[in-house]
Amino acid sequence: MHLFYTPDIEHNIYQLNETESGHCIRVLRLQKGDNINLIDGRGGFYQAKIIQDKAKACIVEVQKKTEDFGKRDYSLHLAVAPTKSIDRFEFFLEKATEIGVDEITPLLCKHSERKMIRNQRLEKIITSSVKQSLTAYHPKLNELLKFNDFINGSFSGLKLIAHCYPTQRVHIKNKIKPKENYTILIGPEGDFSEEEITAAIKAGFTPISLGNSRLRTETAGIIACHAVAMLND
């Protein structure tokens, strides 16, 4: 299945952007008359036909549109401290997108080793994973946000914070429920500080465990994502 990301599609005649046009015509060597599929990142799935096969301006005609394609009956917002190695954070974004996540907020925490990220590159990682996993929904990637600013925001559903301190925690499998909205916090390599955990609890977040092993940040994010997906499968 040849799938292309078209977030600004509005009409039945649509021109792919230069990047997608080049991939379609130069890389895949598709031609006028060939069938392709489009997604808008908001649940729209389109079956289309190429009517102009120019490498910088491929034009298609939509034959059929399906709304809410692959829509899940839950939503997941992961707030994760970016890892020192950006490759590991990119790996997390890729896998979380494949498994199923709706929103991702990079967190700036007390123990964070990475204090800056380039959202433009990370968006490309997510888009590529969306196309790979054949989903019509594109996760929202927010700007890097300070921990305290994030936890004092407004959220619906379950609010959870995963940490490794030997204090009372509920295993994630015993806390999450099907068909809910979830917001889950994942800390940096050095974990959240005790002050951050206390502040999160005061803000209504429940401490959870992701198992007995001490996990890397990207692994913890993927496991949390997978646990929610499995419960709702």
Side-chain angles (χ1 to χ4, degrees), residues 43-69:
F45 180 88
Y46 307 76
Q47 294 171 286
K49 185 184 294 290
I50 298 173
I51 60 176
Q52 177 177 293
D53 52 6
K54 292 185 178 180
K56 291 187 177 182
C58 176
I59 298 178
V60 303
E61 182 178 11
V62 174
Q63 309 291 309
K64 180 182 178 181
K65 178 183 178 181
T66 302
E67 298 278 6
D68 299 326
F69 182 81

Side-chain angles (χ1 to χ4, degrees), residues 79-164:
V80 182
T83 52
K84 182 178 181 180
S85 168
I86 196 62
D87 290 346
R88 285 165 47 198
F89 190 66
E90 290 175 358
F91 179 81
F92 153 72
L93 291 176
E94 179 183 272
K95 300 311 173 188
T97 300
E98 290 178 14
I99 296 167
V101 65
D102 298 276
E103 190 170 357
I104 300 164
T105 299
L107 282 183
L108 181 59
C109 305
K110 181 177 180 180
H111 297 154
S112 290
E113 294 186 278
R114 174 170 288 276
K115 304 183 185 302
M116 294 180 62
I117 57 173
R118 294 172 53 200
N119 272 39
Q120 186 175 5
R121 172 173 169 76
L122 300 182
E123 286 281 5
K124 292 180 180 179
I125 300 292
I126 293 174
T127 299
S128 177
S129 187
V130 165
K131 293 160 66 175
Q132 168 67 31
S133 55
L134 304 179
T135 176
Y137 290 90
H138 193 291
K140 179 183 179 184
L141 177 65
N142 297 317
E143 295 293 329
L144 184 69
L145 195 62
K146 291 181 180 179
F147 179 86
N148 285 334
D149 291 339
F150 181 84
I151 63 171
N152 290 312
S154 177
F155 309 97
S156 63
L158 295 174
K159 302 192 298 182
L160 311 172
I161 178 169
H163 68 78
C164 298

